[in-house]
Amino acid sequence: MKNHLSISIATIIALSIPGMVKAQNLFEADGGSGNIYVFTPSGVQSTFASVLSPSGLAFNTAGDLFVTDTGNNTISEFTPGGLRSIFASGLHGPLGLAFNGAGNLFEADYASGNIYEFTPGGIQSTFASGLSGPVGLTFDSAGNLFVGAQLSGNIIEISPGGVQSVFASGLNPNGLAFNSGGNLFEADASSGNIYEFTPGGARSTFASGLDNAEGLTFDSTGNLFVSAWNAPASNSIYKITPGGAMSLFASGLNHPEFMAIQPVPEPSVWATLGMGVLALSGFRRRV
């Protein structure tokens, strides 16, 4: 019985790993309903949590979800099990969120025009200021922060040292996201386009017809998810393949804001599981 028990535990862990790698749920901040919705890869919807006015979403590497509550000027932190705590307060119209490679959280503070940086312990500092209506945030692989400054119509690039430059102009930027190839994608609210920018700043239109496009996020296979308030269908999420084929992923929402893909567990998790399997095997041999 002991041998069979050890083998079955190891088998269950091994069989579960491929499913865990593939299972990337999509989380969406639904501004009108005040809910955080979670969607399985096949589009099955459930309610993860309720917040008064959710907007920005970002996961840390531990799988905790951070949410800007614009109406309460706070950032909430949710454990994977849904336990909520207030991570930061006293903000001024918090919108987009993004983590850098060091695990610090960055927040676009729309009304103040600042980008605030928070350590994992919640210590707040001002990373950048003087931005005109910052909304979406994302980092490139080199640690540069890109900010959609909605009121100026610019995308601002900020180096890790805080030096600001204009990356693109003449836009109405909302959500921003990088694909695995290092190109930047921007949800342009007024034009209804999703623009793609090379690292050098060359712009092309990746998708169109998405009126009031808001949030952008990529899954691990390169599919782009876009939330749109008005068209083609109102209050919906669209899935766009790397080749540009667009399909309706979810509908019937209430002002969908930003989105985030649940992260795949870190390689250290697999190492821990592997060590557990070896330990179980050793235990089996000893008994």
Side-chain angles (χ1 to χ4, degrees), residues 101-190:
N104 290 340
L105 179 65
F106 289 70
E107 175 256 331
D109 212 56
Y110 187 87
S112 69
N114 296 330
I115 305 298
Y116 291 123
E117 179 178 0
F118 299 87
T119 66
I123 298 174
Q124 178 181 348
S125 60
T126 300
F127 176 71
S129 59
L131 294 149
S132 185
V135 181
L137 301 179
T138 191
F139 281 95
D140 68 9
S141 59
N144 299 301
L145 177 64
F146 289 74
V147 183
Q150 196 171 73
L151 297 181
S152 67
N154 297 329
I155 297 175
I156 306 297
E157 179 179 356
I158 309 177
S159 71
V163 178
Q164 297 185 28
S165 59
V166 176
F167 178 76
S169 59
L171 305 167
N172 188 359
N174 272 330
L176 301 175
F178 277 97
N179 69 0
S180 59
N183 288 344
L184 177 66
F185 288 69
E186 176 251 340
D188 204 61
S190 59

Side-chain angles (χ1 to χ4, degrees), residues 74-90:
T74 61
I75 300 173
S76 294
E77 178 180 358
F78 291 88
T79 66
L83 182 63
R84 179 186 179 187
S85 59
I86 300 299
F87 179 76
S89 59

